């Protein structure tokens, strides 16, 4: 259980294992349920198009208690694949992204921040964690540079 009291749904772990072990998915986007009590899978996809993944995060919304809909934080896991510039082959790194846009509601950002560790503890084998607060933080070249520690080729 997280500091916020949110639990991780079994579906999150099952989907993550399908990404990590079975390579069924390329990415998974997680969100808090409407009552903020459970972390659930919002989308699990085999789509390798980074831009569609990025759009999913950028367009995420959250409802406030007053019923207003605004930008929403999310968690995501992406299996980043890249070629080493040295020509030594392909590498994969499972990357955890904590997406919390600057213009999201304060309450939503607080609940997501206090629930993140519970999800991360449930997902063994994460190689890299990124905190992303604006769309530039999730540009593929920026993520690739961080994930590969600058060793990826173009």
């Amino acid at each position: 259980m997280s500091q916020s009291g949110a639990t991780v749904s079994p579906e999150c772990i099952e989907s993550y294992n399908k990404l990590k072990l079975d390579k069924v998915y390329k990415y998974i986007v997680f969100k808090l349920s409407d009552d903020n009590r459970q972390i659930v899978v919002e989308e699990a996809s085999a789509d390798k198009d980074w831009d569609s993944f990025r759009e999913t995060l950028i367009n995420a919304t959250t409802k406030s208690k007053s019923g207003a809909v605004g930008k929403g934080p999310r968690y995501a896991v992406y299996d980043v694949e890249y070629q080493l510039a040295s020509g030594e082959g392909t590498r994969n790194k499972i990357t955890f992204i904590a997406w919390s846009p600057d213009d999201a509601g304060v309450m939503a950002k607080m609940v997501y921040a206090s629930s993140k560790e519970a999800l991360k503890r449930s997902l063994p084998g994460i190689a890299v964690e990124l905190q992303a607060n604006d769309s530039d933080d999730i540009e593929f070249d920026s993520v690739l540079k961080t994930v590969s520690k600058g060793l990826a080729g173009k």
Side-chain angles (χ1 to χ4, degrees), residues 14-77:
E14 291 164 18
S15 296
Y16 177 73
N17 286 334
K18 287 180 181 176
L19 177 144
K20 179 182 167 192
L21 305 172
D22 303 333
K23 304 292 185 193
V24 171
Y25 301 126
K26 186 67 174 172
Y27 67 85
I28 305 166
V29 177
F30 305 95
K31 71 174 197 162
L32 281 162
S33 59
D34 290 339
D35 63 5
N36 287 340
R37 297 209 172 157
Q38 193 170 48
I39 299 168
V40 297
V41 172
E42 180 174 47
E43 179 181 349
S45 176
D47 186 353
K48 295 182 179 185
D49 180 30
W50 178 268
D51 290 331
S52 63
F53 164 72
R54 186 173 174 270
E55 286 301 312
T56 299
L57 294 181
I58 290 171
N59 295 323
T61 60
T62 301
K63 267 189 198 168
S64 69
K65 284 187 176 160
S66 67
V69 176
K71 296 255 183 202
R74 290 294 186 272
Y75 312 109
V77 175

Side-chain angles (χ1 to χ4, degrees), residues 95-109:
T95 304
F96 182 90
I97 300 169
W99 171 247
S100 186
D102 289 330
D103 50 356
V106 173
M107 280 302 293
K109 291 198 298 191

